[in-house]
Amino acid sequence: MSLTFDERDRESIAQDLRDGDEEVRRLAVERVDAFPAQDAIRHLIECLGDSSWRVRKSAIERLVARSQNADVADALVAALADGENPGRRNAAVDALIHCGAQAIPALLAARSSCDVDVRKLVVDALAGIADLRTSEPLREMLDDPDPNVRASAADALGAIGGDGVPDALIRKAADRGEDQLVRFSAIHALNVLEHPVRARDLESVLEDPILGHAGLSLLGRAEDDEEGTEILLKALGSGSRSSREAAIRSLLRIVGQLDPDPSSALTARIRAAALASHLVVASAVERLPEADLPTKLILMQFLGIVATPNAVIPILLAGRDEALFEAALSILESLGEVAEQIIDAQWSNLPADSRRDACLLFGGAQGQGGATRLLASLDDPSSEARSAAARSIGRRRLESGLAPLVVRLAAAAAEDDFEAEEELAAITDGLIALAAPGPGTESGVTARAIELLTALLEGAPVSVRLAVATVIGRVGRPEDAPIVSFLLKDASSSVRRASVEALARLEPGTAAEPLRLALADESPMVRIAAARALGASESIEVVDDLRRLADDEDPGVRAAAVRCVVLRFSQLSTDRSRGALLQVIDGALADEPTVALAAIEALCEVGGDAAGRAVDILERPEPELVRAAVRCIGLHSEPDGLEALHALIGHSDWSVRAEAIQTLADRRSIRAVPAILRRLDLEQDEFVREVTLSALKRLEGEVG
């Protein structure tokens, strides 16, 4: 429906554009289409100078919407000359950038303006548009009479690039007679372009006391530039911090590009040059705490190469920043036993989070000092440090830590808070890693661990009993099954569940009697664990148990049992057995959503003739279930079976429509094209429309 406006409407809008209320003016901008095109553009250009950013923003949006009209770009470029209203000029630049390629002809025509500010703003707008076609005109503006315009042109070329741009920028940077601002902008643009520049091309820059550090930042990208490498190594001893840090960045860039042998050789040269000047290492260590994040990372990597002992603690402390944690640990690990010894000597001066990080570091180290400190840290005042120590003891497989971990398990269980739960989990992880059979495990460690843990059971709190069941389940041997069977009678349902899971690991593929007894446990979680364990059994006897669980009062138990039934159905061969299980599957598909979804997902996984049962779900009201059924049909149905999905193309739920259309396209169902075309005429949801259009494109390709 189109709206018509008379002269009174236009007068009202013009009056509102001058109103003292910014919201009235903003709404008037939205109605400016009531004017003829030229008048509308004139009003919108005027509004670019409004005192309210909201009005200016609306005016920009309305002008951009008209960007196909060449008069818009001309008017915006003309607005750049408004020296009385900087807000209008800036808003005009913003609008020109958003107009994109449509504005380029008008901007290029304005390069010859006698107003230097206009020329600079033209360059800024071209930089924002970043169209490669403007590269050559901008290169020409490197020779503009005004240095500010030349500097802006250099910056713009850094954003756009193009043939010949790096060479032009190098010439500008190296021109001793050029303005310093222009030379610096050219250097910055070369850095943005990451163009390789050789030292011989930067002689005048590197000799300049103001631009020298910027020139150093350009080195390190050109291959086989030994002269540049020598200059960078020498610059490590510079009295200028900015020059030293620029040299460090460039040298690390070279190291990262080299193969291992040349990299090692250059690393040795960097280390020698750094140690020859006390200033460079001392400055990097002093600067590390206060530097910005990228600089911190560079300094840490440099100090890691230099391998100076006085950098160990500063690197450890820098790792307290989550963004630097992994890098700090990697660098400290590369320093080996030296880092261990220094951290151990400064232990009492470290904050709690650094002690935690140090414990994590010691988990990957080999020194005796780190091992001793890990054992002592099980009694650290910080629970985070104790947890880190427990996990690292397991990671290092420190046999001497076995008994202390068990002692700490009992102590942590006596503490009733969230931190204690975290620590108990860490101790459990540590015990599992330490005692698990495998390479690096000393003979008898597993047996000793189970002996120590079993001794804790009498009178132990639930958390200890749970930890014992968990550890034995992960590291135990078949002969430890009686201990787990004993824990199956525990008063705590969480312990019983862990015991069921443990017994399933100790006796995989069997249907042990204790597991079958757990099917009658009062806790649904225990029954679920038992169902999963029996579902993995190879015994045919468990089928009847699973069928009974499929009628359990708890939907979670039914869902677990039904999943196992479906998986077992695909393994059976007799019609009688399969018929009984099909009844269970049909009952599950009619059950509440949790159970039905478990059945459908299992049918998706195993396929086979039972997957056809998914059709029964298509009439259910729950979109999640219907989508799962569509996926199952799409995966396993014969081509004729896909016709059941045609009715879903017009389903009331958008996600079901999208799933059905996508599935039909994936299966190349040409018969669905008429129904999909009809739906396209009615579809209102943008996402579904996109899916529909994509599907039709694919299916039309099949027809062709």
Side-chain angles (χ1 to χ4, degrees), residues 528 549-560 562-563 584-601 617 620-626 628:
I528 289 172
L549 278 184
D551 291 325
D552 194 275
E553 63 182 18
D554 185 89
V557 177
R558 297 200 299 276
V562 165
R563 176 172 177 78
V584 174
I585 294 171
D586 289 339
L589 293 174
D591 205 333
E592 62 179 85
T594 303
V595 183
L597 186 60
I600 282 292
E601 290 176 345
I617 291 288
R620 291 196 54 154
E622 301 91 350
E624 183 180 7
L625 286 180
V626 179

Side-chain angles (χ1 to χ4, degrees), residues 219-263:
L219 299 178
R221 293 192 180 96
E223 294 183 5
D224 302 323
D225 187 13
E226 183 59 29
E227 181 184 357
T229 301
E230 291 295 335
I231 290 171
L232 291 170
L233 289 169
K234 183 178 179 180
L236 289 178
S238 170
S240 164
R241 187 183 76 185
S242 57
S243 293
R244 293 193 301 272
E245 292 183 0
I248 288 170
R249 284 188 174 89
S250 294
L251 285 167
L252 290 177
R253 184 186 302 133
I254 298 173
V255 170
Q257 294 171 346
L258 294 175
D259 292 331
D261 289 343
S263 175

Side-chain angles (χ1 to χ4, degrees), residues 112-159:
S112 58
S113 172
C114 60
D115 187 333
V116 63
D117 290 331
V118 170
R119 298 201 303 276
K120 182 181 182 305
L121 292 171
V122 164
V123 172
D124 292 343
L126 290 173
I129 295 171
D131 191 307
L132 191 59
R133 291 172 296 179
T134 64
S135 175
E136 185 175 348
L138 284 168
R139 277 168 48 200
E140 295 173 1
M141 297 190 77
L142 287 174
D143 295 321
D144 191 276
D146 186 83
N148 289 315
V149 176
R150 298 198 298 275
S152 292
D155 287 329
L157 288 168

Side-chain angles (χ1 to χ4, degrees), residues 8 52 123 134 139 165 250 310 321 340 365 416 430 484 552 626 701:
R8 286 180 300 178
S52 166
V123 172
T134 64
R139 277 168 48 200
V165 166
S250 294
N310 62 334
D321 186 321
E340 283 188 84
D416 186 17
V484 178
D552 194 275
V626 179

